[in-house]
Structures are given as structure tokens and as C-alpha cells.
Amino acid sequence: MKTLYDVQQFLKQFGIIVYMGKRLYDIELMKIELSRIYDAGLMDKLDYLEAEAVLRREHKLELDYLEKMEIRYYGNLGIMGTYSGDVRMDGIQLSSYSSCSENCR
């Protein structure tokens, strides 16, 4: 497996179709489903490692893209601070609002 599409097609063989509305969430859920398939002994270790590497790469690329879009959008507003409201499925906040109103001087 070399692409995210390959991983999606692999999961589809097990009747798993992932769509949550945000690409980042889709990738995270695919990783969970993939590990459950591997833990059940339904796939080889090499295939699992290849698919996990694809998902790790795509996750990083998506985070980088979202961060870039955040900077582009909020940087043009001229506000002092940055904002991101995305929270991962496991509850970890990806970014948060930080204001310079108190400790910037």
C-alpha cells in the first residue's frame, strides 16, 4: 500500500467505509480500524506497517496543511494571537487560542 486510496480500498474489503467530514478525522479513524484488523490477525505485519506508514504520512501532511491555512487566514486578520478549535478524537486539542493581552509586553 502506497497511498491513502490504497488503505481506503483495503478497509473497504472488510466493509469499512470511513467518512467523518474532515480529512484529519478520517485518517485517525482509519488508523484505529486498521489496528483492529491487525490485532484480529486478519492482515500481515508487513501490510500493516506499510498502511500505518501511509496514514502517518498523510496525517502529518494534513496537519501541516491545516496549520498553513490557519496562519494564512488568521495572519491576515491582524489579530494578536492565533486560533484553532480542532480537537482530536482522543480529546487532545491540536491548537488553541493564545492572546497577547497579558504577557506580550
Side-chain angles (χ1 to χ4, degrees):
M1 286 179 251
K2 301 205 181 294
T3 65
L4 186 62
Y5 180 76
D6 294 338
V7 176
Q8 288 174 319
Q9 293 306 306
F10 177 77
L11 291 173
K12 194 174 177 183
Q13 293 174 358
F14 293 92
I16 300 170
I17 297 173
V18 175
Y19 179 77
M20 297 188 65
K22 285 196 174 187
R23 189 168 191 267
L24 187 66
Y25 299 163
D26 292 347
I27 294 167
E28 290 175 358
L29 185 57
M30 281 187 245
K31 186 173 181 185
I32 292 167
E33 294 294 343
L34 190 72
S35 65
R36 294 179 83 190
I37 290 170
Y38 177 72
D39 291 342
L42 300 174
M43 67 184 300
D44 296 334
K45 186 174 186 174
L46 181 61
D47 290 335
Y48 173 71
L49 293 175
E50 285 178 354
E52 189 175 347
V54 168
L55 293 175
R56 231 184 352 257
R57 181 189 70 226
E58 292 296 325
H59 192 271
K60 182 184 179 332
L61 289 172
E62 186 66 13
L63 280 177
D64 292 345
Y65 172 76
L66 291 173
E67 189 174 297
K68 181 177 149 186
M69 290 294 107
E70 232 176 69
I71 291 169
R72 183 177 295 166
Y73 178 74
Y74 290 108
N76 291 339
L77 291 178
I79 59 176
M80 295 187 69
T82 59
Y83 172 80
S84 171
D86 283 343
V87 177
R88 289 186 357 192
M89 289 175 51
D90 56 4
I92 296 174
Q93 190 164 358
L94 298 175
S95 301
S96 63
Y97 181 78
S98 62
S99 175
C100 287
S101 61
E102 296 174 3
N103 298 325
C104 289
R105 296 180 182 109

